[in-house]
Amino acid sequence: MKITLRTALVSGMIGPLLLSGVLLESSMGAWSANLCPLAQSPRLQKALYFANPTIDNLPGGWEGNPPGTVVLDKGAVHDGQPVLRIEHQSETPSQFSQFNSCVQMDFVGKTIELRGFLKTRDVSGIASLWLREDGQMRQPALETMANRDLHGTTDWREYSIRLPYHPKGQRLVFGAYMAGTGTVWVSGLQLLVDGKPIWEAPKRETVLDTDRQFDKGSGIVIEHLSQTQIDNLVTLGKVWGFLKYYDHQVTSGHWQWDYELFRVLPSVLKAPNRASADSILLKWIDDLGLVSRCNPCAHLDRKNLEFGPDLAWISNSNLLGKALSLKLRSIRENRESGAQFYVALTPGGGNPIFEHERPYRSIIFPDAGFQLLALYRFWNIIEYWYPDRNIIGEDWDRVLKEFVPRLALAKNRTDYELQLMRLIAMVHDTHANLWSSLNVRPPVGTCHLPVRLRFVQGQPVVTGYMDGIEASHSPFRVGDVITSLDGSPVAELVKKWSPYYADSNEAARLRDIATFMSRGTCGATIVGIRRGDRNLSLKAARVPVVGGDLGWGTEDLPGPAFRLLSPQVAYLKLSAVKAGDAADYVKQAAGTKGLIIDIRNYPSDFMVFALGSLLVDHATQFARFTVGDLSDPGAFHWLPPESLTPAQPHYKGKVVILVDAITQSSAEFTSMAFSAAPGAVVVGSTTAGADGNVSLIPLPGGLHAYISGIGVFYPDRQPTQRVGIVPNVIVEPTIADIREGRDAVLDEAIRLIVGSQIPLAQIIKMYKTQSSTPSTH
């Protein structure tokens, strides 16, 4: 499908598809749609002035695409303000380049205006500002400067575009773009509402602003729960969530739905039996207002349907009683199309956005009402908006019943956070964690042993040292197996910690446990190790992490992104690549028998199309996505396949891709694309199994979680979530490999290129002492 510039700007197709766990560590350059700041936020003001610290050559708050084509022009200023530069060359694998940011439309006015100064040089197409309103409209509202035909070479001049304010708008996306080749400089951006800075515009009030009854606490105290109360609270949680996404009175934003929960909760807790609780819920729903007949009504679209909502329970009169069941069925049958107050879908991407979920940062815990609210909010988001709900592997109804007492009876904030971690871990999604609270996840402490650990052959092995620590100054040796910490066997500790680690599969869980397992109180400790055939007890010290030196690390080769391991073997690691250099990498690899692409890391740039297009010789599908349905919450539909279009220079040799548990999210998506190359081979072990755009979920107490927001599949609709990228050739290092400094995965990759007749010692020499030809980039 040919994508025009206007189509891309309206649909949101501009921009890298994947967001990953890396952005959870605040390393992203722009806010994704579910992180758009408030209009009054100082973050927005700094973003407009390009004043935030730079990340990957872009000031914080901005995203540029294709990667590498938009940068902060260091040293350049216009009227004393920083300058962003868009530079698009003929070999850049895209029709245009752009940058963008966003803001929540939590204001009112008549006209929205974007102003900015632009300067151009040799622009073959057009240069333009762009402004788009997204929300519950039939089509996003868009304005550009396309009709002004700004091209060629021009000096600095101020330009302006305007859109009428749309009362159903939820997000404002804005920036600048260039079609064709050339260079554009942008500076002095202003975002105005009725001629005044956006942060001075009157605030748009919703029911969240006018209903403030429980802002200081729910007032609900629960000391213990009977089985009847637990059963009734389970039913309440399911009914509350169903109404939140299906009842027009709620989906249109007429009710502060969190506080309606607190209003009905006391009565449900007092109900002596199920029938009494059902009657209470029926009266509660009746008080919301009549179920009006829809015109037109929404109907489940079965075209390209992956799976529909799981709503058989609303017809269960034994569970709900006849009257309540009939009421819920009537609400579903009379739902309207597309209107949702508490959720939206990102244009183009399709992942859910939960902008109207208040975080209630000032709540003091314990607060049983807000603790149950956290459970109900998260449980129902998974029930209705999680694209991989059908492969969680847990009975989701049973999970709700298990966690009602766990969360309702949590005695303090730490207990509340730990129970949320256990709940989130039940989703089995490496993206889905209580990222705001990792400091309370066991083991706790502010210091670590100054070593890097990795599970090898099921055991935690020392693979290196924390930055700044030399081997001669450490009691540990590479290859040591950690057998006990503080006197406790590691196997027992791992079993104890595992329920708090939200991961898609065991490989990712062990990767994450290895990262944190040595955490504890600063100072001396005793560590049991096995070194060869000897069991030793070492005195060691936990120390503060130096300069944020805590993470999975990478398993790739140190040094430059590209090198020749031999005249026959080229090597490229994605942890140091630049998308703008993709053609140069292929040119340097020309004539080799094979190109090894090491993705045992997280890509430093988005390479899917920049490099993937140079590896295929015909249009090639490599992925499919599923997205949710605003008219039928709980349903997910297939989108058309994603494809690579061949471009020059084309690499003709064999492509070998290296993966392991560090390969996650964007890295997995990249692996899918590159493995579509003719004859490509994937070598290594199970990847993290968490792909797709992430969606943020605010939770009471100022907490937040993420989930994978879209389903990611191979073109034949085989899943990647939880499964990961399955290697064609499975190779896992041994403890002996670690001790000897061998890279068994890379060994196998080289052998696949040069043949089995080459001695292993010669293969190892290629990456140990080889005379490399590093890239100049």
Side-chain angles (χ1 to χ4, degrees):
M1 178 179 68
K2 184 177 180 180
I3 299 173
T4 66
L5 178 58
R6 181 177 178 83
T7 299
L9 291 173
V10 169
S11 68
M13 298 179 79
I14 287 182
L17 181 66
L18 295 222
L19 303 174
S20 82
V22 171
L23 69 77
L24 306 178
E25 300 166 5
S26 301
S27 62
M28 66 179 187
W31 303 295
S32 62
N34 54 358
L35 294 175
C36 298
L38 301 174
Q40 297 79 20
S41 171
R43 291 194 303 159
L44 175 65
Q45 298 181 37
K46 290 182 179 179
L48 285 169
Y49 304 150
F50 304 149
N52 286 318
T54 58
I55 303 168
D56 295 332
N57 296 317
L58 272 175
W62 293 96
E63 181 179 272
N65 289 289
T69 63
V70 184
V71 298
L72 183 69
D73 199 334
K74 296 179 180 178
V77 294
H78 175 255
D79 285 347
Q81 293 197 34
V83 175
L84 276 189
R85 184 180 74 240
I86 308 174
E87 196 160 15
H88 197 129
Q89 305 301 327
S90 57
E91 64 268 19
T92 303
S94 176
Q95 300 172 28
F96 42 83
S97 297
Q98 64 87 38
F99 67 87
N100 64 273
S101 189
C102 63
V103 62
Q104 292 186 37
M105 290 183 65
D106 58 340
F107 55 88
V108 295
K110 295 181 179 179
T111 303
I112 303 170
E113 180 182 5
L114 176 65
R115 292 182 190 171
F117 287 88
L118 274 66
K119 174 184 175 182
T120 66
R121 183 178 67 198
D122 299 331
V123 173
S124 64
I126 59 171
S128 176
L129 299 172
W130 68 283
L131 182 63
R132 191 186 76 213
E133 290 174 276
D134 297 338
Q136 296 182 16
M137 302 109 76
R138 290 183 178 273
Q139 180 79 359
L142 173 71
E143 187 56 73
T144 72
M145 294 165 43
N147 60 346
R148 303 186 203 182
D149 197 22
L150 176 60
H151 68 281
T153 300
T154 62
D155 204 352
W156 285 108
R157 179 182 169 186
E158 188 176 35
Y159 297 89
S160 171
I161 54 176
R162 294 180 178 86
L163 275 176
Y165 172 86
H166 199 296
K168 290 188 177 181
Q170 293 176 314
R171 287 161 305 284
L172 196 64
V173 187
F174 54 93
Y177 71 83
M178 176 180 64
T181 59
T183 307
V184 179
W185 291 268
V186 183
S187 186
L189 290 181
Q190 299 180 68
L191 200 54
L192 309 173
V193 176
D194 298 336
K196 296 181 179 180
I198 191 171
W199 44 84
E200 295 180 9
K203 184 174 174 60
R204 176 202 284 175
E205 286 196 342
T206 69
V207 67
L208 302 180
D209 302 295
T210 56
D211 185 349
R212 311 302 294 264
Q213 180 179 351
F214 299 100
D215 282 7
K216 294 183 179 180
S218 71
I220 296 170
V221 178
I222 303 176
E223 297 295 340
H224 60 84
L225 286 171
S226 68
Q227 189 58 54
T228 296
Q229 287 176 310
I230 292 172
D231 291 341
N232 288 340
L233 288 174
V234 168
T235 301
L236 171 61
K238 296 189 71 172
V239 170
W240 178 86
F242 170 81
L243 296 172
K244 181 175 184 177
Y245 299 124
Y246 274 93
D247 190 305
H248 177 67
Q249 296 291 333
V250 185
T251 62
S252 58
H254 291 166
W255 297 98
Q256 212 293 22
W257 202 231
D258 297 344
Y259 289 179
E260 286 304 310
L261 173 66
F262 299 154
R263 292 180 179 117
V264 76
L265 249 174
S267 298
V268 173
L269 285 167
K270 292 176 184 177
N273 51 50
R274 177 175 291 175
S276 297
D278 291 344
S279 296
I280 291 167
L281 294 179
L282 182 61
K283 183 181 183 303
W284 177 52
I285 297 171
D286 285 339
D287 290 344
L288 296 177
L290 293 174
V291 179
S292 56
R293 288 202 169 273
C294 51
N295 185 22
C297 296
H299 297 282
L300 178 61
D301 182 3
R302 297 192 175 277
K303 183 179 180 181
N304 294 317
L305 179 68
E306 185 200 9
F307 58 83
D310 182 10
L311 293 176
W313 64 275
I314 69 173
S315 299
N316 186 344
S317 57
N318 291 328
L319 170 68
L320 302 172
K322 290 183 179 179
L324 180 56
S325 174
L326 183 62
K327 175 70 73 172
L328 297 182
R329 282 181 285 159
S330 176
I331 289 171
R332 170 164 164 74
E333 290 164 3
N334 287 282
R335 69 194 183 280
E336 296 188 358
S337 298
Q340 293 286 343
F341 180 73
Y342 289 99
V343 64
L345 300 181
T346 306
N351 56 302
I353 306 166
F354 306 105
E355 281 181 338
H356 284 149
E357 299 289 9
R358 292 182 62 191
Y360 304 112
R361 292 184 177 85
S362 61
I363 296 302
I364 298 174
F365 295 93
D367 187 311
F370 276 98
Q371 289 161 203
L372 279 172
L373 170 62
L375 168 61
Y376 292 165
R377 181 184 290 180
F378 184 82
W379 189 91
N380 282 289
I381 282 174
I382 299 301
E383 179 76 359
Y384 294 104
W385 304 110
Y386 186 56
D388 302 300
R389 184 186 78 231
N390 59 332
I391 57 170
I392 287 174
E394 303 284 349
D395 181 334
W396 199 232
D397 283 349
R398 182 195 62 78
V399 169
L400 177 60
K401 187 170 185 176
E402 175 186 343
F403 278 86
V404 161
R406 282 183 176 274
L407 276 157
L409 301 176
K411 297 303 182 184
N412 52 54
R413 183 184 177 96
T414 297
D415 188 18
Y416 162 62
E417 291 176 309
L418 288 172
Q419 294 304 331
L420 277 178
M421 281 188 178
R422 293 184 70 124
L423 168 68
I424 294 167
M426 290 288 186
V427 180
H428 302 296
D429 179 357
T430 310
H431 281 148
N433 211 327
L434 194 63
W435 295 100
S436 54
S437 306
L438 295 187
N439 61 309
V440 304
R441 184 173 66 177
V444 298
T446 57
C447 288
H448 292 251
L449 295 176
V451 293
R452 298 188 183 278
L453 300 175
R454 177 185 179 188
F455 275 83
V456 179
Q457 295 180 290
Q459 301 173 82
V461 177
V462 175
T463 60
Y465 305 94
M466 189 181 291
D467 290 351
I469 304 295
E470 296 182 10
S472 59
H473 295 160
S474 174
F476 297 97
R477 297 291 176 265
V478 170
D480 286 349
V481 176
I482 307 297
T483 57
S484 67
L485 290 165
D486 304 306
S488 298
V490 162
E492 293 180 7
L493 293 174
V494 170
K495 184 177 180 180
K496 177 181 176 182
W497 295 333
S498 288
Y500 300 97
Y501 282 75
D503 286 286
S504 301
N505 53 44
E506 191 64 12
R509 180 173 291 106
L510 292 178
R511 175 203 70 186
D512 291 346
I513 289 176
T515 301
F516 289 92
M517 66 180 292
S518 77
R519 185 166 67 174
T521 304
C522 299
T525 187
I526 302 297
V527 181
I529 69 162
R530 186 171 67 252
R531 181 175 294 165
D533 57 1
R534 294 185 299 157
N535 290 313
L536 304 173
S537 182
L538 299 182
K539 292 182 179 180
R542 291 188 177 97
V543 298
V545 175
V546 179
D549 177 33
L550 178 65
W552 314 327
T554 65
E555 302 299 331
D556 51 28
L557 294 178
F562 178 86
R563 73 191 74 183
L564 293 177
L565 301 183
S566 78
Q568 295 180 317
V569 182
Y571 173 89
L572 179 68
K573 64 174 184 178
L574 294 199
S575 59
V577 291
K578 295 180 181 179
D581 293 338
D584 288 343
Y585 300 142
V586 169
K587 290 174 182 177
Q588 292 180 77
T592 59
K593 290 181 64 176
L595 169 63
I596 297 171
I597 304 177
D598 201 335
I599 319 183
R600 296 174 296 173
N601 47 48
Y602 189 84
S604 60
D605 214 338
F606 191 71
M607 301 293 290
V608 168
F609 299 102
L611 181 58
S613 62
L614 309 181
L615 304 179
V616 296
D617 54 13
H618 62 278
T620 306
Q621 296 179 1
F622 68 92
R624 293 197 71 157
F625 305 132
T626 60
V627 296
D629 187 336
L630 293 176
S631 298
D632 265 287
F636 289 84
H637 300 271
W638 295 101
L639 295 182
E642 289 289 308
S643 297
L644 295 172
T645 301
Q648 295 297 324
H650 172 63
Y651 181 70
K652 299 179 180 179
K654 189 180 190 70
V655 176
V656 182
I657 300 134
L658 311 188
V659 300
D660 64 8
I662 295 173
T663 310
Q664 177 177 323
S665 195
S666 183
E668 291 179 288
F669 189 63
T670 305
S671 302
M672 294 172 70
F674 294 172
S675 64
V681 179
V682 180
V683 178
S685 54
T686 304
T687 63
D691 212 337
N693 299 16
V694 297
S695 293
L696 179 145
I697 303 173
L699 293 168
L703 311 179
H704 67 267
Y706 284 83
I707 56 170
S708 300
I710 61 173
V712 182
F713 300 77
Y714 284 102
D716 62 0
R717 302 188 179 186
Q718 292 298 307
T720 62
Q721 189 74 11
R722 301 201 65 190
V723 179
I725 306 304
V726 179
N728 303 109
V729 180
I730 297 176
V731 180
E732 299 188 34
T734 65
I735 296 173
D737 292 333
I738 301 299
R739 290 197 186 107
E740 296 168 11
R742 281 185 51 200
D743 187 338
V745 179
L746 182 56
D747 291 346
E748 180 62 23
I750 295 173
R751 189 173 296 285
L752 286 171
I753 294 171
V754 300
S756 59
Q757 71 280 5
I758 303 297
L760 178 60
Q762 187 174 336
I763 288 176
I764 295 174
K765 186 178 180 181
M766 288 184 189
Y767 60 88
K768 281 290 188 180
T769 59
Q770 50 88 21
S771 177
S772 65
T773 306
S775 167
T776 58
H777 298 278

